[in-house]
Amino acid sequence: GDGGNDGGSGGDEAGGTMVFGTSSDPVSMDGAYVSDGESLRVVRQLFETLVTTEPGGTEIVPLLAKEWESSEDGTSWTFTLQEGVKFHDGTDFNAEAVCANFDRWYNFKGVQQSASVSYYWQTVFSGYAKNEDPALGTSLYKDCQAQDGKAVINLTSASASFLSGLALASFSIASPEALTKYEADKVTGTGEEPRFEGTFGTQNPVGTGPFKLETYEPNNRLVLARFDDYWGDKSKLDKVIFKPIADGPARRQALEAGEIQGYDLVDPADLGALEGAGFQIVERPAFNVGYVGFNTAKKPFDNIKIRQAVAHALNRQALVTAKYPPGAEVAKQFMPPSLFGYASDVPEYEYSVEKAKALIAESGVANPTIEFWYPTGVSRPYMPDPVANFQAFSADLTAAGFTVVPKSAPWNPDYLNAVDTGGTGMRLLGWTGDFGDPDNFVGTFFRTKQTAWGPLEESIYTDLEAARQEPDEAKRTSLYEAANKKIMEFLPGVPYVHTKPALAFAKGVEGYVPSPVSIEDFSKVSLSS
Amino acid sequence: MSLSQGVEAVESADSSAAGPPEEAAGGLWRDAFRRLRHNPTAILGAALVTIFVLVAIFAPLLAPYDPKVADLSQIRPGDFPGPSREHLLGLDSQGRDELSRIIYGARYSLLIGVVSLAVGATLGVILGLIAGAFGGWVDSLVMRLVDIMLSIPGLLLAIGIAALLGRSLKSVMIAIAVVNVPVFARLLRGSMLAQRRSDYALAARSLGVTRSRIVLQHVFPNSLGPVIVQATLALATAIIDAAGLAFLGLGSPDPSIPEWGRMLAETNSLLATEPLLALWPGLAIVLSVLGFYLLGEALREALDPKLRR
Amino acid sequence: MSLLEIRDLKVHFPIKKGILLERTVGHVRAVDGVDLSVEKGRTLGVVGESGCGKSTLGRAVLQLEPITEGSVVFDGTDLSTLGARDLRAMRERMQMVFQDPLASLDPRQSVASVLAEPLRTHGHKGDHGKRVRELLDLVGLPSTAANRYPHEFSGGQRQRVGIARAIALSPELIIADEPVSALDVSIQAQVVNLLEELQERLGLTYVVIAHDLAVVRHISDDIAVMYLGAVVEVAPSDGLYDDPLHPYTRSLLSAIPIPDPEVEDSRERILLRGDIPSAAAPPPGCRFHTRCPWRQPTRCHDEVPLLREPEGVVGHTVACHWAEQVRSGELQPITSEVSLMVDAAPSGVSATAAD
Amino acid sequence: MLTFAVRRLLLLIPILLGLSILVFLFVRALPGGPETALLGERSTPERIAQVRAAYGLDRPVHEQYLSYMGKVVKLDFGTSIQTQRPVSEEIARRFKATLELTGAAILFAVLVGIPLGFVAGRRPQSWIDNLSTVGSLLGIAIPVFVLGYLLKYVFAIKLGWFETTGRQNVAISTEHPTGFFVLDGIITGDLPAAWDAFKHLVLPAIALGTIPLAIITRITRAAVQEVSNEDFVRTAEAKGMTKSVVTRRHILRNAMLPVVTIIGLQTGLLLSGAILTETVFAFGGLGSFMASSVFTRDFPVIQGGILFIAVVFVLVNLLVDISYGLFDPRVRNA
Amino acid sequence: MTRVQEQVDAIPGRGQGAAPLLEVRDLRVTFKSRGRRPVKAVDGVSLDVAPGATVGIVGESGSGKSVTSLAALGLLGKRGVEISGSVKFDGDDLLNMPEDELRAVRGKEIAMVFQDPMSSLNPVLTIGRQITEILERHRGLKGQDARDQAAELLLSVGIGDAVRRLKSFPHQLSGGMRQRVMIAMALACQPRLLIADEPTTALDVTISAQILELLRSLVVDSQTALVLITHDLGVVAGLCDQVHVMYSGRIVESAPRRALFANPQHPYTTGLLASVPRLDQPRGVPLLPIPGSPSDTLPWVDGCAFAPRCTRRVPESVGCPPALLPLEGSEPSHLVRCVNPVPEDHT
Ligand SMILES: Nc1ncnc2c1ncn2[C@@H]1O[C@H](COP(=O)(O)OP(=O)(O)OP(=O)(O)O)[C@@H](O)[C@H]1O
Ligand SMILES: Nc1ncnc2c1ncn2[C@@H]1O[C@H](COP(=O)(O)OP(=O)(O)OP(=O)(O)O)[C@@H](O)[C@H]1O
Ligand SMILES: [Mg+2]
Ligand SMILES: [Mg+2]
């Protein structure tokens, strides 16, 4: 195909335009309001965070902050900032701007405090200046001071995951002037409809990133152009265009037809054929886990024997071989092996129908019936085709003597809702890490009591909370190893896969560095013809 | 001239005019049926439909394997064993025998078609009957309701209903049924209005037959012709509609049910790598739909009053 | 007393128009003030051209059409005063034969069922099958016909079925609306003869509606000529052809072709100009004046002529102001050279054509 | 004709009222309800109560309905939950895509179907008639989405003639004064852009237009056959008119009458098909948006969208009835 | 499958002076459609029409009157129809004429008027257009000339306000006016032969009288030959020179009108005359119906088709079909096809 470069502005050799197929438009380009991958991908190109991860890894490296240090007790962090950085609107980036952004998030009100709006703030900082929902905890954030061109952020307590959390695109530093000018905080009235009236997130995102927004035609295209006053290495591409194509097979066909030069989340079934046709496959390091989750509050999952029987009944290896790309591995615990805290000696539940049957017999549950949920209308790195996973597991369970009642719902909102309200006895789900900390995996699942999982052994909660607060790296590692063992003994679910999600690119696309946490920079990409 | 002469004349005429015995007697439907038998289109359609129904009935005898038993061991991403001697149509993405699934699929597709049609047509006919029988404001009311239903695109209506009722085969059938309701209601009502104005209805009135009896005994049965034709066609579209709903992720929550529409919908991502897997259910749908359509069109012709002597 | 008495009968169909709520913007005066009576055992023929209201009149008599004004008295009972139940019971005594025998039979009913239906409806006990065979015999159909369906018969046979249905309940009055006009010429006579025969046998009273004057004259004792919803002349059948009084009747008679070259070549033909005016807007005064060759400058266009017995005639009524003068030849039809201008000037021009 | 049009438009009022009530109740009957859609993954009873209050969902349904209709009258349909933009804006933009698509589909169906049906009707039982019969039955029997993928595979990927997704090459920057991309290219004089938009339009239009094509072919064929046997055709033949005059002036013009009606009746079917076609071709139209709105419980969009579609539906049928008058003088003067 | 005909028919209408304008010989039309028995609609019809003559064809519904005329002009189409015999117009064989030439003859030399004036006019074209198109086609008139001529034609058939009427559509006219329009179209090119197929059957008596009068004055006076098809014996009685009576696809009797009515020889003709009531006769005369219905026929190969209904049926009626021949002692122009004809004094 030849479609991609037509009409691009670039005459210079290094330039050109890359069209990238996305599954949807960004919800907003205001990082503080979004948590979905498609939005964050765009935010990443327009904005920058204080720190980021090393390319292709999870180690924290400087970005807008040149360097940083924390106080002894870990509650005060001083960031030394890059100099000479300008926002797209020409205003200066400085410590005041950093503090303005943190204070903005901290002071979110009303609908802004909704978990679906400021999810990552809640994940990392728990609460706000004035919590409107009593369920929210005390905020980790205390205040921010601009001192001699440095930004000092004070926390209410120590947090081991604070720094890695700051690499999230949700904590992108935006131009305070633009935030005001384009009414980023104008979410109409408290108690009225949550209308994002301002145009900051839709038409006027102003950050310091290597690209600035050129045009955004929802549903058609989102065009980013090189920011020529960028403080670092300027983008090699003239433009990046994100083109929304919701349908998976349609994305693949668009790449084959040359209408796009790349797309994310390639269906494993397509990998071989695409590679054979000369397309480049780029794999992200495995940084996810797919699992079958139980709600231990529901029968028969309150019975450990039943949980174990399920674990033995599932032929995880067969599924992974048949349905996942080469390189995917069977998961043994709820976090990927590359992360510290991964325990080498957790209890394992090998595939054995006999054992499963024996355990069922031991459990005392006659003719165990399982409501088994799977989502529709979704494809996730850890389950590219939930229906296939469901069918394979469902057949395994039936073979072991379970009666399976199939249940399904559209991913958003019905399925997630059913999961969160504890309605799903057994479910297919998974998790992709946001940042390189075990707390982002096991902590998210099991540190607090959640309706979705039902009651776990109490010590799991306390152990994970202690591990999160532990500032010493080595101690943390062993605490998490111990926790992982405990979790796999209790068996709140059966993790079954860590997979390497793949992107596909046309020939000639170079320099795309896949990242386990999807912190991927389009400005490094170049096109050769 | 005497009356007896007339009788004689007619009787003599009878004997000379009588055609071959098979054409001598029979009602309207028998007459239509006779015409169908001479129509190659109808025969082809009927043959297809018969095969379809037989396969559905005798699926357990015909299918070489259990359509739900999966064997993932031979499956790799994007690579499923194709047709072989053991599996004539190959294996599907879960390692199940495709042929057995196609054979069992006839059952489910027929089930969806028949149930949704039966429900939709019955409701539609009842509505149409009410409107056609009472006329006046009842008619207006029913017809406005029909207008409302018709002004929503059918698939959208079906999506809405399936969403309302939750995922199940039942809600797919109800959704398709509901989409059919206004079509049948309007059809029957129109045809009843025409029949009500006919001379034989007037004749019945002049005999003192009560209105309800005229409507139920005369007008209604005579208005059913177009409804029956439409039913054949609706049966065909129900199968396609079910495929569309499956494509959009609505359907039975048990994905191992071998229903053609769903099988086809699920192969959309395999079209490039495993086109055969899309071909089989596609072919099955096309042939069965073709059967119903041919039959329906032939029936339409056979019942067309203009083509009647 | 007459069996049937029609008094000032009017049937107007509203013409509806309007954007959301329909308003009645006018009326089709299908039947507009008809007075007629029929004695028991006799036959009244009603003739007139298409659209003049014959069928509507017939249906209105049987209360199958809402009556706007006037009354229909059957055997002393004003039918409009009857409730639905009594009316249904009364239908046993008066029946109808329709023009299109195929359309008036339910295609899904066998002949036996068609004939048994009236019996069932009126709760007749006994052996319906026997009665059906009787009826078939009466109308000259073989008893094997009982199990057949309408579309399997010829037109004449179907009409026999229709007649059998009408006489099934042994009614006193039968209204036959164009009973033969849908039939082939060669079999019209079969049906006409059958009707006459049945009248004789069963003592029926007929109102026979037709546009074919020759047929009507043959079968009727009296004839009413209708024009645009009104009766313009009523006469004994013999009297009408011999002594037509109304200009319309005269033109009608002269227009009917006669299968005899001698007669055709010699007779005088009065050609009317133009078409029948719309029943929604009948002309004022005498309805016929727009086409009347005897039209006079006075009275015709502003005074409605009443049905009356002109001087010197008995038992023969006519609605024409100038009946006496026309009859005596005092007034002559306005003639001109054969003019085919038929729809321009309103003046009456006629042509006398002789071969 | 005018009063007829006005009358039909007034008839729209009860339909819309009834429809709005039904849709309103429907949305509130959906499992989970709108609040789930709003809150997404992390909802608590407190937050649900809060949102219900914010939306007035705790008030009696009839009150909610009245206040909703109060806004609708001012053309305020609320904000989409999916996209966080005003529903009216979303509908307007996407509808243009759908209109362009359905318009092209109908054009395709008419331009191919009428000549095909005509030839088939004039020569019954000929090979072209049999071909058109089999073809149109296949067209009806193939699900739209299958056809869509198939067309893309053959004509875009293998042959490279057309494009697979979207409405225009995203690298092309051009003005969109009307929102119909092909037309926009022509208006602004940017012919390459128009051509590119056309290449994007072809396949979806064919996929969507195939069922109407099949139906139009069948109807045209039947109508032509029927009209060919009409007395006035015999009259024209008896007048010694040339073959082309007989077919064009006498047969075709009369055969168009049922075809026009059928085109009107296709609107609903087209919008149904558009849901699937737009999904397969990422066309960004109203159909796929409405479908996804039902899935995501985007109730302001469901409510506003269905009202809007109903209006379009009635308007299209009105248009068809009016154009019917152009073809049939009997209707015009009625 | 047809048995060889042993007797040779006499030709009705022949021998009336000048060479015939239209010469139909042994015309046979068979309809064949799948799954049905073939229908012999016309079976060996021969007749002549002299220039300027008025010829009537009478018969009941289904007797083949229309098919005869349509077949002669090639208007039956080709599918499922078999036509044999010959039809010569002014010496040219119409049946074997190339399509284009035939189209040039139709409308120009031979015109037709059909039974139902509503369905015979194109409902979506103005009557002006329908008249001018024939003027364009055969007389090369265009635009205003054609319209002027069309208006004149309308005037000549008695439609006033012609210019305005040209803009009307058929549904805006009354039945009588429509039939006048049909006649205007037929006469637009001053044809030498006009075939009127039941031109007044659908009309009221008074209107029908107007139309017949119009035909008489326009056609007969202009020396256009007229073939008048009707089922009404009264109509032919007043208008035609020669009358052919058809029954079941054959001419069964053929005679000058006075001879026919004065002395009908075929039982069918007599039966027909006796079965319709006549205004000029006393009311009491009983009607003598023909028993049975027109569909009760014998196949011709087996004898006289009328035999099943015939009161004068003799054993010879069944068997070899009789030929159309003059009776001994009657005029040579009075032909009848009967083995047991009605004697002269039957009344
Ligand atoms: N239901 C109706 N609504 C409105 N107008 C009607 C109705 N029935 C009849 N008419 C009109 O009333 C007039 C008389 O109709 P009617 O059928 O009685 O005439 P007719 O004399 O029987 O004619 P024909 O000989 O054609 O049967 C006509 O103008 C007709 O159009
Ligand atoms: N297209 C056709 N296909 C088959 N049979 C036909 C066709 N046209 C006419 N016939 C048959 O041919 C016979 C003669 O028909 P035709 O129309 O000539 O009768 P007609 O004398 O004109 O009768 P009518 O008075 O009803 O017009 C009839 O039996 C008719 O059924
Ligand atoms: Mg009538
Ligand atoms: Mg005819």
Side-chain angles (χ1 to χ4, degrees), chain B residues 55-56 58-60 62-64 98-107 260:
Chain B
V55 167
F58 296 109
L62 295 171
E98 181 76 3
L99 177 63
S100 306
R101 289 182 68 74
I102 293 284
I103 288 173
Y104 271 90
R107 284 195 158 184
W260 291 342

Side-chain angles (χ1 to χ4, degrees), chain B residues 137-217:
Chain B
W137 66 268
V138 179
D139 182 33
S140 305
L141 195 74
V142 172
M143 282 303 114
R144 285 301 84 73
L145 187 70
V146 165
D147 281 345
I148 289 174
M149 290 176 80
L150 281 176
S151 66
I152 307 174
L155 188 60
L156 194 58
L157 188 61
I159 292 171
I161 288 161
L164 190 67
L165 301 176
R167 291 197 61 177
S168 69
L169 208 56
K170 197 174 68 190
S171 50
V172 169
M173 294 191 277
I174 293 178
I176 297 172
V178 170
V179 173
N180 272 320
V181 168
V183 180
F184 281 101
R186 173 171 281 195
L187 198 65
L188 181 71
R189 176 225 181 221
S191 136
M192 277 183 70
L193 283 191
Q195 296 289 330
R196 268 182 67 171
R197 271 184 243 114
S198 67
D199 271 2
Y200 70 80
L202 191 68
R205 255 180 81 200
S206 76
L207 288 174
V209 180
T210 56
R211 195 160 93 160
S212 58
R213 223 186 133 81
I214 294 178
V215 166
L216 290 177
Q217 298 252 309

